[in-house]
């Protein structure tokens, strides 16, 4: 097989927490008197919490100090984590666990590479941590996607060079981060990709068959 390691983004690839993010950010936008809809929400995919807040505040008529922004971001995260407690193993879509088991059986090392600081908590709620040899999340990086740091660190944690790792992503920022890391990328879903990923997947369940050719 061409690859020795697979690095998965979490949200939108292995599960979906979009509804929780939307609800949590919606309250932040109300506080800032800023418009918030699905188009704005889509711009937040794959970027850090503080960068997401800045995107929301672009349309706010109010001005906030750095301290107020920190408070707003922290309050959003607390709302989000309360909502995440609703997650169960059933929130991992059908067939994803089987796909991960198939990839592991093929001898591949698996990692999660996510900008989210809640990645480990989400994996815990999904009861999915056992599938991964490494987890690199937002608590371990200084720069979020499209910077390649999260993927480079995940590869390092797997003990593999970037060239033999495949990234699985659903967001344009993740695709750009994979290229910057020197890794191929499998794009999940119908995002408006800035350039063509190495593979296009409807969802993760098809990945084992795609890699077998």
């Amino acid at each position: 097989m061409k690859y020795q390691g697979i690095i998965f983004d979490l949200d939108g690839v292995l599960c979906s927490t979009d509804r929780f993010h939307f609800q949590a950010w919606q309250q932040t936008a109300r506080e800032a008197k800023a418009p918030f809809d699905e188009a704005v929400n889509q711009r937040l995919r794959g970027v850090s919490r503080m960068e997401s807040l800045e995107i929301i505040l672009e349309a706010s008529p109010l001005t906030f100090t750095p301290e107020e922004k920190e408070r707003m971001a922290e309050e959003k995260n607390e709302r989000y984590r309360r909502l995440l407690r609703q997650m169960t193993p059933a929130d991992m879509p059908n067939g994803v666990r089987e796909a991960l088991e198939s990839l592991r059986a093929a001898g591949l090392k698996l990692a999660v590479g996510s900008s989210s600081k809640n990645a480990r908590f989400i994996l815990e709620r999904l009861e999915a941590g056992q599938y991964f040899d490494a987890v690199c999340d937002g608590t371990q990086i200084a720069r979020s996607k499209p910077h390649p740091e999260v993927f480079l660190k995940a590869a390092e944690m797997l003990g593999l060079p970037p060239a033999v790792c495949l990234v699985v992503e659903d967001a344009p920022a993740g695709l750009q981060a994979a290229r910057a890391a020197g890794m191929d990328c499998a794009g999940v879903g119908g995002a408006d990709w800035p350039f063509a990923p190495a593979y296009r997947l409807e969802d993760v369940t098809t990945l084992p068959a795609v890699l077998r050719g």
Side-chain angles (χ1 to χ4, degrees), residues 49-102:
R49 191 184 310 153
M50 291 306 297
E51 288 172 307
S52 294
L53 177 61
E54 293 294 347
I55 289 171
I56 290 171
L57 295 183
E58 287 173 0
S60 173
L62 307 178
T63 301
F64 298 93
T65 66
E67 293 75 19
E68 287 172 328
K69 291 178 181 179
E70 289 286 348
R71 174 188 58 77
M72 294 168 74
E74 186 57 36
E75 288 176 351
K76 180 270 175 183
N77 190 51
E78 287 303 314
R79 286 193 295 272
Y80 178 58
R81 284 180 67 87
R82 285 195 296 271
L83 292 165
L84 286 179
R85 293 189 185 104
Q86 301 174 22
M87 293 189 80
T88 71
D91 283 296
M92 183 169 271
N94 291 335
V96 173
R97 294 177 195 275
E98 291 79 1
L100 296 173
E101 289 169 354
S102 176

Side-chain angles (χ1 to χ4, degrees), residues 9-18 87 91-93 96 122 126:
D9 178 42
L10 181 58
D11 194 18
V13 173
L14 299 174
C15 66
S16 177
T17 63
D18 272 3
M87 293 189 80
D91 283 296
M92 183 169 271
V96 173
I122 293 169
L126 295 172

Side-chain angles (χ1 to χ4, degrees), residues 144-163:
S144 61
K145 305 167 189 174
H147 194 279
E149 181 180 13
V150 68
F151 294 143
L152 291 172
K153 188 161 287 189
E156 182 181 354
M157 293 166 74
L158 291 177
L160 297 173

Side-chain angles (χ1 to χ4, degrees), residues 34 42 61 70 113 119 138 143 172 183 185 192 196 202 209:
Q42 286 297 315
E70 289 286 348
R143 293 156 293 191
M183 303 178 187
C185 184
D192 186 14
E202 184 175 338

Side-chain angles (χ1 to χ4, degrees), residues 47 66 90 103 161 180 209:
V47 301
L103 294 168

Side-chain angles (χ1 to χ4, degrees), residues 102-119:
S102 176
L103 294 168
R104 287 180 65 86
L108 290 159
K109 292 184 177 181
L110 307 185
V112 168
S114 171
S115 296
S116 172
K117 294 183 179 180
N118 295 297

